[in-house]
Amino acid sequence: GGVAPLVTVCIPHYNHGRYLPQALASVAAQTHQALEVVVFDDGSTDEHSRRVFGEMEAAYPAFRFVRKANGGIGATRNLGLAEARGEFF
């Protein structure tokens, strides 16, 4: 019993537009109800990846999408931790 803890899932994205739809579909299929999903575009330079990021933002309105200047994976993960509201990350 009890209330399920909020779990934050952070998905960093940099020029990986071809993988993003499948990654987000996988997270959306989770059965854990208390889920916060934050997707970061770390300053992608590839036009296809930027377009797919926008398409995914429209397709998953319950997820948070954040665009930021490129800072690398470490900086993106640290921002993810700072933005997370969940008890688990």
Side-chain angles (χ1 to χ4, degrees):
V3 177
L6 180 64
V7 175
T8 298
V9 176
C10 173
I11 301 176
H13 168 263
Y14 176 75
N15 289 343
H16 286 110
R18 68 185 204 177
Y19 302 111
L20 192 60
Q22 184 176 354
L24 296 185
S26 176
V27 172
Q30 287 296 316
T31 57
H32 186 79
Q33 294 300 306
L35 199 64
E36 171 191 47
V37 180
V38 188
V39 188
F40 292 91
D41 180 72
D42 187 30
S44 288
T45 58
D46 171 55
E47 179 56 40
H48 173 257
S49 294
R50 289 195 307 260
R51 185 178 76 251
V52 168
F53 188 85
E55 291 169 357
M56 295 300 97
E57 186 173 19
Y60 295 99
F63 295 176
R64 271 196 297 150
F65 288 78
V66 178
R67 290 168 178 81
K68 61 183 274 315
N70 183 263
I73 190 65
T76 301
R77 287 182 180 144
N78 286 339
L79 182 60
L81 279 168
E83 292 279 325
R85 299 180 191 131
E87 184 176 344
F88 297 99
F89 183 77

PDB file of all heavy atoms in Angstrom, residues 52-79:
ATOM      1  N   VAL A  52      13.097  16.632 -34.539  1.00  0.00           N
ATOM      2  CA  VAL A  52      12.519  15.498 -33.817  1.00  0.00           C
ATOM      3  C   VAL A  52      12.255  15.880 -32.356  1.00  0.00           C
ATOM      4  O   VAL A  52      11.225  15.514 -31.792  1.00  0.00           O
ATOM      5  CB  VAL A  52      13.432  14.250 -33.919  1.00  0.00           C
ATOM      6  CG1 VAL A  52      13.003  13.167 -32.944  1.00  0.00           C
ATOM      7  CG2 VAL A  52      13.433  13.718 -35.337  1.00  0.00           C
ATOM      8  N   PHE A  53      13.163  16.639 -31.748  1.00  0.00           N
ATOM      9  CA  PHE A  53      12.971  17.082 -30.368  1.00  0.00           C
ATOM     10  C   PHE A  53      11.664  17.870 -30.259  1.00  0.00           C
ATOM     11  O   PHE A  53      10.859  17.635 -29.347  1.00  0.00           O
ATOM     12  CB  PHE A  53      14.169  17.931 -29.919  1.00  0.00           C
ATOM     13  CG  PHE A  53      14.169  18.274 -28.459  1.00  0.00           C
ATOM     14  CD1 PHE A  53      14.687  17.396 -27.529  1.00  0.00           C
ATOM     15  CD2 PHE A  53      13.665  19.485 -28.019  1.00  0.00           C
ATOM     16  CE1 PHE A  53      14.694  17.713 -26.178  1.00  0.00           C
ATOM     17  CE2 PHE A  53      13.669  19.817 -26.677  1.00  0.00           C
ATOM     18  CZ  PHE A  53      14.186  18.922 -25.754  1.00  0.00           C
ATOM     19  N   GLY A  54      11.426  18.782 -31.191  1.00  0.00           N
ATOM     20  CA  GLY A  54      10.180  19.554 -31.200  1.00  0.00           C
ATOM     21  C   GLY A  54       8.959  18.684 -31.423  1.00  0.00           C
ATOM     22  O   GLY A  54       7.911  18.889 -30.800  1.00  0.00           O
ATOM     23  N   GLU A  55       9.076  17.691 -32.299  1.00  0.00           N
ATOM     24  CA  GLU A  55       7.969  16.763 -32.551  1.00  0.00           C
ATOM     25  C   GLU A  55       7.642  15.959 -31.296  1.00  0.00           C
ATOM     26  O   GLU A  55       6.475  15.731 -30.973  1.00  0.00           O
ATOM     27  CB  GLU A  55       8.305  15.825 -33.706  1.00  0.00           C
ATOM     28  CG  GLU A  55       8.365  16.517 -35.054  1.00  0.00           C
ATOM     29  CD  GLU A  55       8.965  15.641 -36.152  1.00  0.00           C
ATOM     30  OE1 GLU A  55       9.393  14.497 -35.863  1.00  0.00           O
ATOM     31  OE2 GLU A  55       9.024  16.110 -37.297  1.00  0.00           O
ATOM     32  N   MET A  56       8.671  15.531 -30.584  1.00  0.00           N
ATOM     33  CA  MET A  56       8.471  14.753 -29.365  1.00  0.00           C
ATOM     34  C   MET A  56       7.864  15.615 -28.260  1.00  0.00           C
ATOM     35  O   MET A  56       7.041  15.149 -27.483  1.00  0.00           O
ATOM     36  CB  MET A  56       9.784  14.124 -28.888  1.00  0.00           C
ATOM     37  CG  MET A  56      10.359  13.077 -29.842  1.00  0.00           C
ATOM     38  SD  MET A  56       9.259  11.655 -30.124  1.00  0.00           S
ATOM     39  CE  MET A  56       8.456  12.109 -31.666  1.00  0.00           C
ATOM     40  N   GLU A  57       8.238  16.887 -28.240  1.00  0.00           N
ATOM     41  CA  GLU A  57       7.663  17.816 -27.268  1.00  0.00           C
ATOM     42  C   GLU A  57       6.154  17.921 -27.485  1.00  0.00           C
ATOM     43  O   GLU A  57       5.372  17.938 -26.524  1.00  0.00           O
ATOM     44  CB  GLU A  57       8.325  19.181 -27.394  1.00  0.00           C
ATOM     45  CG  GLU A  57       7.904  20.169 -26.355  1.00  0.00           C
ATOM     46  CD  GLU A  57       8.704  21.453 -26.417  1.00  0.00           C
ATOM     47  OE1 GLU A  57       9.341  21.753 -27.453  1.00  0.00           O
ATOM     48  OE2 GLU A  57       8.685  22.181 -25.408  1.00  0.00           O
ATOM     49  N   ALA A  58       5.728  17.965 -28.734  1.00  0.00           N
ATOM     50  CA  ALA A  58       4.299  18.030 -29.049  1.00  0.00           C
ATOM     51  C   ALA A  58       3.606  16.695 -28.756  1.00  0.00           C
ATOM     52  O   ALA A  58       2.452  16.673 -28.314  1.00  0.00           O
ATOM     53  CB  ALA A  58       4.101  18.408 -30.514  1.00  0.00           C
ATOM     54  N   ALA A  59       4.301  15.586 -28.968  1.00  0.00           N
ATOM     55  CA  ALA A  59       3.718  14.252 -28.802  1.00  0.00           C
ATOM     56  C   ALA A  59       3.580  13.841 -27.333  1.00  0.00           C
ATOM     57  O   ALA A  59       2.730  13.008 -27.005  1.00  0.00           O
ATOM     58  CB  ALA A  59       4.562  13.216 -29.547  1.00  0.00           C
ATOM     59  N   TYR A  60       4.422  14.397 -26.462  1.00  0.00           N
ATOM     60  CA  TYR A  60       4.420  14.010 -25.043  1.00  0.00           C
ATOM     61  C   TYR A  60       4.238  15.249 -24.152  1.00  0.00           C
ATOM     62  O   TYR A  60       5.180  15.686 -23.493  1.00  0.00           O
ATOM     63  CB  TYR A  60       5.719  13.285 -24.685  1.00  0.00           C
ATOM     64  CG  TYR A  60       5.889  11.961 -25.384  1.00  0.00           C
ATOM     65  CD1 TYR A  60       6.675  11.844 -26.530  1.00  0.00           C
ATOM     66  CD2 TYR A  60       5.247  10.813 -24.905  1.00  0.00           C
ATOM     67  CE1 TYR A  60       6.820  10.627 -27.175  1.00  0.00           C
ATOM     68  CE2 TYR A  60       5.393   9.595 -25.555  1.00  0.00           C
ATOM     69  CZ  TYR A  60       6.181   9.510 -26.685  1.00  0.00           C
ATOM     70  OH  TYR A  60       6.326   8.295 -27.320  1.00  0.00           O
ATOM     71  N   PRO A  61       3.031  15.795 -24.111  1.00  0.00           N
ATOM     72  CA  PRO A  61       2.815  17.022 -23.339  1.00  0.00           C
ATOM     73  C   PRO A  61       3.013  16.845 -21.831  1.00  0.00           C
ATOM     74  O   PRO A  61       3.223  17.835 -21.123  1.00  0.00           O
ATOM     75  CB  PRO A  61       1.368  17.413 -23.673  1.00  0.00           C
ATOM     76  CG  PRO A  61       0.731  16.163 -24.158  1.00  0.00           C
ATOM     77  CD  PRO A  61       1.820  15.349 -24.802  1.00  0.00           C
ATOM     78  N   ALA A  62       2.965  15.634 -21.330  1.00  0.00           N
ATOM     79  CA  ALA A  62       3.165  15.402 -19.895  1.00  0.00           C
ATOM     80  C   ALA A  62       4.647  15.441 -19.515  1.00  0.00           C
ATOM     81  O   ALA A  62       4.979  15.557 -18.338  1.00  0.00           O
ATOM     82  CB  ALA A  62       2.562  14.058 -19.480  1.00  0.00           C
ATOM     83  N   PHE A  63       5.534  15.331 -20.492  1.00  0.00           N
ATOM     84  CA  PHE A  63       6.974  15.384 -20.236  1.00  0.00           C
ATOM     85  C   PHE A  63       7.432  16.839 -20.290  1.00  0.00           C
ATOM     86  O   PHE A  63       6.831  17.663 -20.981  1.00  0.00           O
ATOM     87  CB  PHE A  63       7.754  14.590 -21.287  1.00  0.00           C
ATOM     88  CG  PHE A  63       7.507  13.100 -21.294  1.00  0.00           C
ATOM     89  CD1 PHE A  63       8.113  12.322 -22.261  1.00  0.00           C
ATOM     90  CD2 PHE A  63       6.687  12.472 -20.378  1.00  0.00           C
ATOM     91  CE1 PHE A  63       7.923  10.934 -22.299  1.00  0.00           C
ATOM     92  CE2 PHE A  63       6.475  11.098 -20.409  1.00  0.00           C
ATOM     93  CZ  PHE A  63       7.093  10.333 -21.374  1.00  0.00           C
ATOM     94  N   ARG A  64       8.510  17.154 -19.573  1.00  0.00           N
ATOM     95  CA  ARG A  64       9.113  18.489 -19.671  1.00  0.00           C
ATOM     96  C   ARG A  64      10.270  18.433 -20.654  1.00  0.00           C
ATOM     97  O   ARG A  64      11.103  17.536 -20.591  1.00  0.00           O
ATOM     98  CB  ARG A  64       9.645  18.942 -18.302  1.00  0.00           C
ATOM     99  CG  ARG A  64       8.613  19.660 -17.495  1.00  0.00           C
ATOM    100  CD  ARG A  64       9.213  20.426 -16.341  1.00  0.00           C
ATOM    101  NE  ARG A  64       9.855  19.535 -15.393  1.00  0.00           N
ATOM    102  CZ  ARG A  64      10.893  19.855 -14.644  1.00  0.00           C
ATOM    103  NH1 ARG A  64      11.423  21.050 -14.700  1.00  0.00           N
ATOM    104  NH2 ARG A  64      11.407  18.983 -13.807  1.00  0.00           N
ATOM    105  N   PHE A  65      10.327  19.408 -21.537  1.00  0.00           N
ATOM    106  CA  PHE A  65      11.393  19.496 -22.536  1.00  0.00           C
ATOM    107  C   PHE A  65      12.163  20.786 -22.303  1.00  0.00           C
ATOM    108  O   PHE A  65      11.565  21.859 -22.196  1.00  0.00           O
ATOM    109  CB  PHE A  65      10.809  19.469 -23.949  1.00  0.00           C
ATOM    110  CG  PHE A  65      10.292  18.109 -24.352  1.00  0.00           C
ATOM    111  CD1 PHE A  65       9.070  17.645 -23.891  1.00  0.00           C
ATOM    112  CD2 PHE A  65      11.047  17.287 -25.168  1.00  0.00           C
ATOM    113  CE1 PHE A  65       8.593  16.390 -24.238  1.00  0.00           C
ATOM    114  CE2 PHE A  65      10.585  16.033 -25.524  1.00  0.00           C
ATOM    115  CZ  PHE A  65       9.357  15.579 -25.059  1.00  0.00           C
ATOM    116  N   VAL A  66      13.474  20.665 -22.199  1.00  0.00           N
ATOM    117  CA  VAL A  66      14.336  21.805 -21.900  1.00  0.00           C
ATOM    118  C   VAL A  66      15.404  21.907 -22.978  1.00  0.00           C
ATOM    119  O   VAL A  66      16.096  20.927 -23.270  1.00  0.00           O
ATOM    120  CB  VAL A  66      15.003  21.641 -20.513  1.00  0.00           C
ATOM    121  CG1 VAL A  66      15.932  22.808 -20.224  1.00  0.00           C
ATOM    122  CG2 VAL A  66      13.950  21.481 -19.418  1.00  0.00           C
ATOM    123  N   ARG A  67      15.522  23.088 -23.565  1.00  0.00           N
ATOM    124  CA  ARG A  67      16.596  23.356 -24.527  1.00  0.00           C
ATOM    125  C   ARG A  67      17.671  24.171 -23.829  1.00  0.00           C
ATOM    126  O   ARG A  67      17.348  25.126 -23.128  1.00  0.00           O
ATOM    127  CB  ARG A  67      16.045  24.123 -25.726  1.00  0.00           C
ATOM    128  CG  ARG A  67      15.136  23.305 -26.606  1.00  0.00           C
ATOM    129  CD  ARG A  67      14.385  24.194 -27.600  1.00  0.00           C
ATOM    130  NE  ARG A  67      13.538  23.416 -28.480  1.00  0.00           N
ATOM    131  CZ  ARG A  67      12.325  22.966 -28.157  1.00  0.00           C
ATOM    132  NH1 ARG A  67      11.813  23.229 -26.972  1.00  0.00           N
ATOM    133  NH2 ARG A  67      11.612  22.264 -29.024  1.00  0.00           N
ATOM    134  N   LYS A  68      18.917  23.775 -24.020  1.00  0.00           N
ATOM    135  CA  LYS A  68      20.022  24.482 -23.377  1.00  0.00           C
ATOM    136  C   LYS A  68      21.207  24.546 -24.318  1.00  0.00           C
ATOM    137  O   LYS A  68      21.292  23.777 -25.265  1.00  0.00           O
ATOM    138  CB  LYS A  68      20.418  23.799 -22.064  1.00  0.00           C
ATOM    139  CG  LYS A  68      20.894  22.357 -22.232  1.00  0.00           C
ATOM    140  CD  LYS A  68      21.205  21.685 -20.910  1.00  0.00           C
ATOM    141  CE  LYS A  68      22.584  21.896 -20.371  1.00  0.00           C
ATOM    142  NZ  LYS A  68      23.722  21.774 -21.235  1.00  0.00           N
ATOM    143  N   ALA A  69      22.100  25.475 -24.052  1.00  0.00           N
ATOM    144  CA  ALA A  69      23.336  25.552 -24.831  1.00  0.00           C
ATOM    145  C   ALA A  69      24.176  24.315 -24.532  1.00  0.00           C
ATOM    146  O   ALA A  69      24.113  23.756 -23.440  1.00  0.00           O
ATOM    147  CB  ALA A  69      24.106  26.815 -24.463  1.00  0.00           C
ATOM    148  N   ASN A  70      24.943  23.896 -25.509  1.00  0.00           N
ATOM    149  CA  ASN A  70      25.765  22.698 -25.337  1.00  0.00           C
ATOM    150  C   ASN A  70      26.735  22.875 -24.183  1.00  0.00           C
ATOM    151  O   ASN A  70      27.474  23.848 -24.112  1.00  0.00           O
ATOM    152  CB  ASN A  70      26.522  22.379 -26.631  1.00  0.00           C
ATOM    153  CG  ASN A  70      27.325  21.107 -26.484  1.00  0.00           C
ATOM    154  OD1 ASN A  70      28.509  21.138 -26.201  1.00  0.00           O
ATOM    155  ND2 ASN A  70      26.673  19.980 -26.652  1.00  0.00           N
ATOM    156  N   GLY A  71      26.696  21.915 -23.265  1.00  0.00           N
ATOM    157  CA  GLY A  71      27.589  21.951 -22.111  1.00  0.00           C
ATOM    158  C   GLY A  71      28.203  20.604 -21.818  1.00  0.00           C
ATOM    159  O   GLY A  71      28.970  20.458 -20.883  1.00  0.00           O
ATOM    160  N   GLY A  72      27.828  19.601 -22.615  1.00  0.00           N
ATOM    161  CA  GLY A  72      28.346  18.257 -22.390  1.00  0.00           C
ATOM    162  C   GLY A  72      27.447  17.453 -21.474  1.00  0.00           C
ATOM    163  O   GLY A  72      26.561  17.980 -20.802  1.00  0.00           O
ATOM    164  N   ILE A  73      27.708  16.148 -21.447  1.00  0.00           N
ATOM    165  CA  ILE A  73      26.838  15.229 -20.714  1.00  0.00           C
ATOM    166  C   ILE A  73      26.859  15.476 -19.211  1.00  0.00           C
ATOM    167  O   ILE A  73      25.824  15.393 -18.544  1.00  0.00           O
ATOM    168  CB  ILE A  73      27.165  13.752 -21.060  1.00  0.00           C
ATOM    169  CG1 ILE A  73      26.104  12.805 -20.486  1.00  0.00           C
ATOM    170  CG2 ILE A  73      28.557  13.363 -20.585  1.00  0.00           C
ATOM    171  CD1 ILE A  73      24.742  12.980 -21.086  1.00  0.00           C
ATOM    172  N   GLY A  74      28.005  15.804 -18.655  1.00  0.00           N
ATOM    173  CA  GLY A  74      28.085  16.048 -17.218  1.00  0.00           C
ATOM    174  C   GLY A  74      27.236  17.230 -16.800  1.00  0.00           C
ATOM    175  O   GLY A  74      26.467  17.155 -15.830  1.00  0.00           O
ATOM    176  N   ALA A  75      27.355  18.335 -17.523  1.00  0.00           N
ATOM    177  CA  ALA A  75      26.576  19.531 -17.214  1.00  0.00           C
ATOM    178  C   ALA A  75      25.081  19.261 -17.397  1.00  0.00           C
ATOM    179  O   ALA A  75      24.252  19.745 -16.614  1.00  0.00           O
ATOM    180  CB  ALA A  75      27.016  20.697 -18.101  1.00  0.00           C
ATOM    181  N   THR A  76      24.725  18.472 -18.398  1.00  0.00           N
ATOM    182  CA  THR A  76      23.316  18.165 -18.649  1.00  0.00           C
ATOM    183  C   THR A  76      22.756  17.295 -17.527  1.00  0.00           C
ATOM    184  O   THR A  76      21.647  17.518 -17.038  1.00  0.00           O
ATOM    185  CB  THR A  76      23.150  17.471 -20.012  1.00  0.00           C
ATOM    186  OG1 THR A  76      23.667  18.339 -21.021  1.00  0.00           O
ATOM    187  CG2 THR A  76      21.686  17.184 -20.313  1.00  0.00           C
ATOM    188  N   ARG A  77      23.518  16.308 -17.086  1.00  0.00           N
ATOM    189  CA  ARG A  77      23.063  15.471 -15.966  1.00  0.00           C
ATOM    190  C   ARG A  77      22.934  16.289 -14.690  1.00  0.00           C
ATOM    191  O   ARG A  77      21.991  16.103 -13.915  1.00  0.00           O
ATOM    192  CB  ARG A  77      24.023  14.306 -15.760  1.00  0.00           C
ATOM    193  CG  ARG A  77      23.894  13.248 -16.840  1.00  0.00           C
ATOM    194  CD  ARG A  77      24.817  12.088 -16.574  1.00  0.00           C
ATOM    195  NE  ARG A  77      24.672  11.088 -17.622  1.00  0.00           N
ATOM    196  CZ  ARG A  77      25.672  10.360 -18.089  1.00  0.00           C
ATOM    197  NH1 ARG A  77      26.896  10.504 -17.592  1.00  0.00           N
ATOM    198  NH2 ARG A  77      25.459   9.470 -19.027  1.00  0.00           N
ATOM    199  N   ASN A  78      23.872  17.196 -14.454  1.00  0.00           N
ATOM    200  CA  ASN A  78      23.795  18.047 -13.258  1.00  0.00           C
ATOM    201  C   ASN A  78      22.557  18.937 -13.307  1.00  0.00           C
ATOM    202  O   ASN A  78      21.886  19.133 -12.285  1.00  0.00           O
ATOM    203  CB  ASN A  78      25.060  18.885 -13.106  1.00  0.00           C
ATOM    204  CG  ASN A  78      26.236  18.058 -12.639  1.00  0.00           C
ATOM    205  OD1 ASN A  78      26.080  16.985 -12.064  1.00  0.00           O
ATOM    206  ND2 ASN A  78      27.433  18.559 -12.896  1.00  0.00           N
ATOM    207  N   LEU A  79      22.240  19.477 -14.489  1.00  0.00           N
ATOM    208  CA  LEU A  79      21.030  20.273 -14.632  1.00  0.00           C
ATOM    209  C   LEU A  79      19.800  19.401 -14.393  1.00  0.00           C
ATOM    210  O   LEU A  79      18.835  19.832 -13.766  1.00  0.00           O
ATOM    211  CB  LEU A  79      20.972  20.937 -16.008  1.00  0.00           C
ATOM    212  CG  LEU A  79      19.768  21.834 -16.258  1.00  0.00           C
ATOM    213  CD1 LEU A  79      19.701  22.982 -15.254  1.00  0.00           C
ATOM    214  CD2 LEU A  79      19.799  22.384 -17.679  1.00  0.00           C
TER     215      LEU A  79
END
